[in-house]
């Protein structure tokens, strides 16, 4: 495997640091400390430059809290890093090394990658189910148990060492990885890339060694389609053995089922051979959001509803739209509210 070097100097390049401050501040302009840093961006760029040139950066203590993820019905422990310098340094790193991490990744590893989200994976899964019914008769659905906390830090460091030969860069990455006792923290911008890169050997094993034709992964959720139920059970055992070597294990809720008998619940959608609809929880959340927005159509509600409309339009949900959205929500009026607010902000 080719190893890349001379990247650390690109990270502390002042243009890269300035861009990292701007990118890290997206969605945080209402915070007083973020606005202050943006108003004094040259000063804080110089501080970061000195910090990285002298190799003095150390991760700050995290602000830890627990959230309830409605999309997955799970409680997640979040490790929120400080905006400055931690989040900015994470962005500065990823702006340089992202192309090198993404180069060997499987193209249908769809989570937390630009232009390769749920809708990207949805197009491929729909195409497989529609065009090859015979070889997509059965589905194997897998999920990794406590993925982020279970990642072996030493194994991740070894994988990064095989990719990069720049010692200063590796020391910086190691300090971020080892900033928690176990695994990698949910909250760091670097973590989603490290997690995807950690499973790249698994993707290669499934596609190249097991020669699985129809395989897609969304972070730690995996779907494999095939024509033989017994072969899918054998595939599950082989994947489980491979994951055990990486310190990971599958959840007990893995399933092998016939696609015609039930839908594939994946990436927020439910997939059949002849149609795709929204997950029940997602559809219920959309109904409630449109009802609330119809009573108070402000910029925030209008923006959220127009975002949800993208999900509704991408699925076969015409009857849902006519019954639960069209009678209560005026799309033209919502667009006008968004347009007027954007004019004021400009």
């Amino acid at each position: 495997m080719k190893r890349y070097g001379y990247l650390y100097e690109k990270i502390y390049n002042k243009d890269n640091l300035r861009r990292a401050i701007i990118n890290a501040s997206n969605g945080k302009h209402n915070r007083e400390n973020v606005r202050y840093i943006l108003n004094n961006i040259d000063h804080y760029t110089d501080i970061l430059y000195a910090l990285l040139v002298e190799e003095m950066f150390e991760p700050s203590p995290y602000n830890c809290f627990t959230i309830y993820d409605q999309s997955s019905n799970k409680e997640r422990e979040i490790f929120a890093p400080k905006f400055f310098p931690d989040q900015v340094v994470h962005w500065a790193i990823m702006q340089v090394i992202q192309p090198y991490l993404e180069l060997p990744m499987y193209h249908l590893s769809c989570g937390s990658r630009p232009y390769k989200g749920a809708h990207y994976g949805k197009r491929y899964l729909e195409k497989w189910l529609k065009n090859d019914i015979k070889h997509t008769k059965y589905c194997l659905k897998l999920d990794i148990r406590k993925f982020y906390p279970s990642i072996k830090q030493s194994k991740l460091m070894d994988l990064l060492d095989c990719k990069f030969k720049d010692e200063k860069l590796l020391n910086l990455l190691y300090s971020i990885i080892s900033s928690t006792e176990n695994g990698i923290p949910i909250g760091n911008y670097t973590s989603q890339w490290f997690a995807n890169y950690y499973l790249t050997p698994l993707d290669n094993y499934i596609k190249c060694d097991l020669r699985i034709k129809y395989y897609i992964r969304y972070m730690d959720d995996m779907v494999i389609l095939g024509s033989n139920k017994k072969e899918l059970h054998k595939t599950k055992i082989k994947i489980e053995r491979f994951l055990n070597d990486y310190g990971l294990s599958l959840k007990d809720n893995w399933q092998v089922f016939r696609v015609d008998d039930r839908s594939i619940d994946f990436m927020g959608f439910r997939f059949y051979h002849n149609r795709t609809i929204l997950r029940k929880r997602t559809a219920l959340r959309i109904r409630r959001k449109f009802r609330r927005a119809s009573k108070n159509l402000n910029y925030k509600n209008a923006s959220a509803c127009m975002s949800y409309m993208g999900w509704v339009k991408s699925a076969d949900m015409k009857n849902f739209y006519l019954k639960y959205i069209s009678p209560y929500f005026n799309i033209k009026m919502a667009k006008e509210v968004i347009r007027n607010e954007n004019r004021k902000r400009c």
Side-chain angles (χ1 to χ4, degrees):
M1 179 186 293
K2 183 178 180 180
R3 299 174 75 217
Y4 300 92
Y6 306 105
L7 298 176
Y8 191 76
E9 292 78 8
K10 295 181 181 179
I11 292 173
Y12 65 68
N13 177 279
K14 288 191 177 182
D15 289 337
N16 185 57
L17 295 176
R18 178 188 289 269
R19 191 156 50 94
I21 292 174
I22 294 170
N23 287 334
S25 68
N26 285 339
K28 306 181 183 75
H29 289 189
N30 59 335
R31 299 184 191 177
E32 187 176 344
N33 65 321
V34 175
R35 288 201 304 270
Y36 182 80
I37 290 170
L38 288 171
N39 291 334
N40 300 275
I41 192 169
D42 291 333
H43 172 67
Y44 283 96
T45 298
D46 292 337
I47 292 175
L48 275 179
Y49 177 83
L51 199 64
L52 291 171
V53 167
E54 297 171 10
E55 299 180 61
M56 297 290 289
F57 172 77
E58 291 184 4
S60 307
Y62 292 100
N63 175 27
C64 301
F65 55 91
T66 302
I67 64 167
Y68 180 76
D69 187 352
Q70 291 184 340
S71 62
S72 58
N73 263 351
K74 299 176 185 175
E75 284 192 348
R76 300 189 186 278
E77 188 176 8
I78 304 299
F79 296 78
K82 289 177 63 176
F83 176 76
F84 188 90
D86 297 70
Q87 291 185 36
V88 178
V89 169
H90 297 167
W91 270 92
I93 292 170
M94 293 314 307
Q95 285 170 177
V96 173
I97 71 169
Q98 176 185 324
Y100 302 100
L101 291 181
E102 200 165 13
L103 196 62
M105 286 185 185
Y106 176 46
H107 76 107
L108 286 179
S109 163
C110 298
S112 301
R113 293 173 65 190
Y115 311 109
K116 293 192 177 180
H119 293 280
Y120 176 83
K122 170 182 170 290
R123 289 198 299 271
Y124 279 87
L125 194 49
E126 284 179 329
K127 182 180 177 182
W128 297 343
L129 290 169
K130 182 179 179 181
N131 295 341
D132 194 355
I133 295 175
K134 179 181 177 181
H135 294 101
T136 58
K137 190 176 180 181
Y138 295 100
C139 173
L140 168 62
K141 195 167 181 292
L142 306 169
D143 190 4
I144 297 175
R145 185 192 305 275
K146 295 184 178 179
F147 177 42
Y148 276 71
S150 299
I151 289 175
K152 282 187 176 180
Q153 294 180 354
S154 58
K155 185 68 177 177
L156 176 58
M157 292 176 185
D158 290 342
L159 289 172
L160 292 171
D161 186 62
C162 293
K163 174 62 65 174
F164 304 111
K165 57 184 177 182
D166 189 326
E167 289 189 10
K168 292 181 180 180
L169 170 62
L170 289 172
N171 289 335
L172 180 59
L173 297 179
Y174 295 167
S175 68
I176 295 171
I177 292 169
S178 58
S179 59
T180 53
E181 290 186 10
N182 300 307
I184 56 176
I186 300 175
N188 281 355
Y189 179 55
T190 54
S191 293
Q192 61 197 48
W193 288 99
F194 290 159
N196 261 325
Y197 188 68
Y198 193 77
L199 289 183
T200 298
L202 172 66
D203 297 334
N204 293 334
Y205 173 71
I206 293 174
K207 289 298 293 182
C208 300
D209 294 0
L210 301 184
R211 297 183 178 277
I212 301 298
K213 184 177 181 181
Y214 298 127
Y215 162 64
I216 185 170
R217 176 169 65 81
Y218 190 81
M219 290 308 294
D220 60 327
D221 290 339
M222 293 167 275
V223 163
I224 296 173
L225 303 175
S227 58
N228 190 300
K229 200 171 184 179
K230 290 183 179 179
E231 289 300 320
L232 289 179
H233 278 280
K234 292 177 182 177
T235 299
K236 176 260 173 185
I237 294 171
K238 292 175 182 177
I239 292 173
E240 193 167 28
R241 287 173 183 166
F242 187 92
L243 287 173
N244 289 340
D245 294 337
Y246 276 70
L248 303 174
S249 59
L250 292 175
K251 283 185 181 178
D252 294 332
N253 64 350
W254 65 272
Q255 308 161 53
V256 176
F257 56 89
R258 190 184 179 96
V259 176
D260 287 336
D261 293 340
R262 51 182 290 196
S263 62
I264 303 171
D265 192 340
F266 190 55
M267 300 185 295
F269 296 95
R270 293 163 61 198
F271 296 89
Y272 297 87
H273 275 119
N274 59 348
R275 70 190 190 281
T276 302
I277 60 176
L278 292 175
R279 184 181 286 167
K280 287 183 179 180
R281 289 197 303 271
T282 306
L284 180 61
R285 191 163 67 247
I286 290 174
R287 283 173 56 185
R288 289 172 176 171
K289 186 65 180 179
F290 275 97
R291 282 289 185 92
R292 288 195 296 267
S294 64
K295 298 175 183 177
N296 180 23
L297 190 60
N298 54 32
Y299 175 76
K300 183 178 179 181
N301 286 336
S303 300
C305 287
M306 293 310 298
S307 176
Y308 278 133
M309 276 302 299
W311 285 79
V312 174
K313 286 183 177 180
S314 65
D316 300 312
M317 302 289 287
K318 184 177 179 180
N319 291 335
F320 176 87
Y321 171 78
L322 293 175
K323 185 174 181 180
Y324 297 111
I325 296 177
S326 181
Y328 310 103
F329 188 78
N330 190 322
I331 292 177
K332 289 184 178 179
M333 191 178 295
K335 288 181 178 179
E336 188 64 28
V337 169
I338 295 169
R339 192 180 299 114
N340 290 337
E341 183 63 25
N342 287 338
R343 284 171 183 164
K344 289 179 185 177
R345 295 186 179 188
C346 288

